[in-house]
Amino acid sequence: MKNICVIGVGYVGLVTGACLADLGNSVVCLNRDQTKCDNLTKGILPIYEPGLEEVVRRNYEAKRLDFTTSYEKALKDAEYVFIAVGTPSGSEGEADLSHVTQAAEQVAKRLTKPVIIVNKSTVPIGTGDWVADIINEYKLNDVPFTVVSNPEFLREGSAVYDFMNPDRIVLGSTQRQAAEKVAELYEPLQAPAIITDLRTAEMIKYASNAFLATKISFINEMANICEALGADVKEVARGMGSDRRIGPEFLGAGVGWGGSCFPKDVKALAHIAATHGSHPQMLRAVMDINYDQRKRVIQKLREIVTHFRGKTIGVLGLSFKPNTDDMRDAPSIEIIHMLQHEGAQVKAYDPVAMDNAKSIMRDLTYCDSPYEVAADADALVLITEWNEFKQLDMTRILKSMRQPVLIDGRNIYDPERMRALGFTYRAMGRGHDANGQPL
Ligand code: NAD
């Protein structure tokens, strides 16, 4: 059993804290908000993440997991301090490191015994060295410490599973021994550890996210070519993905990526590359293709309904992907904004993200079900592929709409079936129908 402090109780911090406690360690999670702490002790989580509530409750009851706003309490016995705070985009696309800086300063001022500072936040290359500089500058006692970069690869929606079943653990440090001590924490997970230097570990995270974003932008570009030439991108992705060198994941064509990681990480990597004399032209294309996909949905809709003024458009799904309530850089935000800008009334439904969406988008009608969204709508746009949208009574949906227009932004429906039911149906890159019309 090790004593661990985790700073930040978001998707990464809370999952890391709860899962490390579940592996038998004693973990104190620090955050700045007393109400959040009080809620966590009652099993009320600040985020929606399947399965996490149970892990938190189990470990809190077993007294392996605690929550505090006090750095003194959190650091009292800590041998490891995990920094898992947010690193959002700054105004120029750079990573905003103010939260990491604050956390490092606060830790430094209270260091009384040797610790390993483990950086879990996704940070630009060189941040580990910078955190070490901050600690050296602010520490009041002459105690040794080491910074280890340990980027996180979990996915929202399956974060607990991903943390417990990692493909690899990446660790970077100037001192291999410190990286190995962090690797010991993960030993029960039996995943290979890749131990390298600080900067390389930081780069592995950015490169991984940039590659996955590239894969999605790539298939979206293929979808657009398919659409022009009458091929079906779903079949193309199936054919490509069966090749083990390519693999089937991240080959779903649609409205593109969003969320709290890909947009800011690709931007931050492009920014740091450009400011260090590199010319990240592929990363820029990856971002351009992605943002164009959102506009493509509007264009598809425009081709059918001609204009949006006075029209009611229903939106199915708001979160940036299924199984999360995360609305950060969700494609729905930009699509809804474009529709409203051109005069549409928008109605929307999402199984879990509506509370978060309400704080970002106030002037739309939030509905209690997909059927309420469809009622009297001039068109329906599916943006997030929640499972519950795959099983809808589409005849009921069709009958309640003013015009039976369906834009399937994630290619979840069968085009032929939708057409047979009577929808004017459009998907993303699924070729042509018998009359040469795009599907
Ligand atoms: P989040 O916004 O959900 O959580 C951040 C947490 O940090 C919040 O609890 C916030 O209150 C806290 N915080 C901020 N400043 C603080 C401070 N000075 N002291 C104490 N607490 C502070 O963010 P997240 O999604 O958990 O992401 C955290 C980091 O992990 C980011 O760098 C992100 O890029 C990276 N990451 C995220 C994911 C993901 O899927 N969300 C996956 C891998 C890596």
Side-chain angles (χ1 to χ4, degrees):
M1 184 208 71
K2 305 285 186 199
N3 291 306
I4 297 167
C5 159
V6 179
I7 304 177
V9 291
Y11 294 90
V12 170
L14 191 54
V15 170
T16 300
C19 290
L20 286 174
D22 217 37
L23 295 177
N25 299 291
S26 172
V27 180
V28 182
C29 289
L30 182 132
N31 85 95
R32 297 173 297 183
D33 182 344
Q34 187 60 49
T35 314
K36 249 190 214 176
C37 273
D38 295 343
N39 282 341
L40 278 161
T41 60
K42 291 179 207 139
I44 304 166
L45 272 47
I47 51 167
Y48 170 80
E49 185 56 49
L52 182 57
E53 202 176 299
E54 198 207 317
V55 186
V56 169
R57 183 168 291 140
R58 182 168 66 232
N59 286 283
Y60 178 72
E61 281 168 7
K63 300 198 186 315
R64 285 189 298 265
L65 180 63
D66 204 359
F67 303 96
T68 183
T69 54
S70 155
Y71 269 92
E72 280 76 11
K73 186 175 169 196
L75 293 172
K76 191 170 151 281
D77 300 314
E79 300 156 82
Y80 301 84
V81 177
F82 280 73
I83 298 180
V85 299
T87 48
S89 273
S91 57
E92 301 296 315
E94 79 284 7
D96 172 357
L97 291 177
S98 55
H99 300 304
V100 174
T101 307
Q102 276 169 22
E105 285 176 13
Q106 297 300 324
V107 170
K109 289 177 188 164
R110 291 163 180 93
L111 279 190
T112 53
K113 57 191 187 58
V115 285
I116 298 177
I117 314 252
V118 188
N119 192 11
K120 262 229 169 283
S121 296
T122 303
V123 288
I125 297 89
T127 303
D129 298 323
W130 192 53
V131 166
D133 290 345
I134 294 172
I135 307 269
N136 276 321
E137 187 183 337
Y138 284 87
K139 71 177 181 177
L140 303 175
N141 301 303
D142 187 22
V143 281
F145 72 92
T146 317
V147 176
V148 173
S149 166
N150 171 214
E152 180 52 57
F153 297 92
L154 61 76
R155 296 161 299 175
E156 288 174 23
S158 55
V160 173
Y161 176 87
D162 290 348
F163 187 95
M164 292 299 202
N165 298 276
D167 291 332
R168 75 313 203 183
I169 305 292
V170 174
L171 298 160
S173 182
T174 48
Q175 294 180 36
R176 191 177 170 91
Q177 239 185 348
E180 282 169 355
K181 281 201 80 173
V182 181
E184 282 170 20
L185 294 175
Y186 293 102
E187 256 166 22
L189 304 181
Q190 297 186 327
I194 296 170
I195 298 185
T196 180
D197 61 85
L198 260 177
R199 285 174 178 245
T200 305
E202 289 164 345
M203 185 64 192
I204 288 172
K205 174 63 189 176
Y206 271 128
S208 301
N209 272 3
F211 183 78
L212 295 173
T214 302
K215 220 175 156 190
I216 299 172
S217 284
F218 177 86
I219 200 66
N220 279 333
E221 184 150 306
M222 294 307 110
N224 300 338
I225 299 172
C226 283
E227 207 161 287
L229 297 169
D232 181 350
V233 75
K234 259 193 129 161
E235 290 297 294
V236 171
R238 195 157 70 95
M240 283 173 63
S242 310
D243 184 328
R244 272 177 297 160
R245 294 170 302 175
I246 298 172
E249 296 199 72
F250 292 82
L251 284 181
V255 300
W257 39 270
S260 62
C261 291
F262 287 1
K264 79 172 175 62
D265 293 348
V266 179
K267 252 190 247 168
L269 182 57
H271 184 271
I272 196 172
T275 53
H276 286 74
S278 192
H279 180 45
Q281 50 191 311
M282 196 182 75
L283 296 180
R284 288 179 183 149
V286 164
M287 289 188 273
D288 277 356
I289 293 166
N290 191 57
Y291 291 110
D292 278 354
Q293 287 304 106
R294 299 174 183 187
K295 298 185 186 90
R296 256 187 115 76
V297 170
I298 302 292
Q299 184 52 21
K300 280 176 188 288
L301 203 48
R302 201 195 317 278
E303 279 164 16
I304 305 170
V305 301
T306 64
H307 65 273
F308 300 127
R309 184 149 302 281
K311 301 271 167 68
T312 300
I313 310 294
V315 167
L316 294 179
L318 294 168
S319 56
F320 82 93
K321 66 173 185 176
N323 299 324
T324 182
D325 61 347
D326 200 338
M327 284 296 299
R328 288 177 281 186
D329 211 342
S332 66
I333 299 171
E334 200 181 339
I335 292 170
I336 289 171
H337 179 77
M338 287 188 272
L339 290 169
Q340 289 177 325
H341 182 71
E342 294 192 32
Q345 300 290 322
V346 178
K347 298 160 83 177
Y349 167 78
D350 187 283
V352 303
M354 287 201 288
D355 283 346
N356 284 345
K358 283 174 190 166
S359 63
I360 303 167
M361 299 180 286
R362 286 190 191 85
D363 48 352
L364 61 120
T365 306
Y366 290 95
C367 299
D368 290 333
S369 75
Y371 300 104
E372 202 182 317
V373 171
D376 297 321
D378 292 289
L380 209 49
V381 183
L382 182 130
I383 298 182
T384 319
E385 66 276 35
W386 284 92
N387 271 342
E388 79 169 75
F389 299 150
K390 295 175 185 165
Q391 304 295 339
L392 295 176
D393 178 346
M394 296 309 282
T395 308
R396 181 177 161 195
I397 294 260
L398 179 116
K399 280 188 183 150
S400 72
M401 293 179 72
R402 201 177 293 149
Q403 292 186 68
V405 176
L406 176 58
I407 310 290
D408 181 356
R410 299 288 181 183
N411 291 343
I412 69 170
Y413 299 117
D414 175 5
E416 277 177 29
R417 183 166 168 260
M418 291 303 120
R419 293 250 164 128
L421 283 175
F423 280 106
T424 306
Y425 174 83
R426 293 285 183 280
M428 308 294 283
R430 303 221 49 195
H432 295 161
D433 68 7
N435 303 318
Q437 289 297 312
L439 283 172

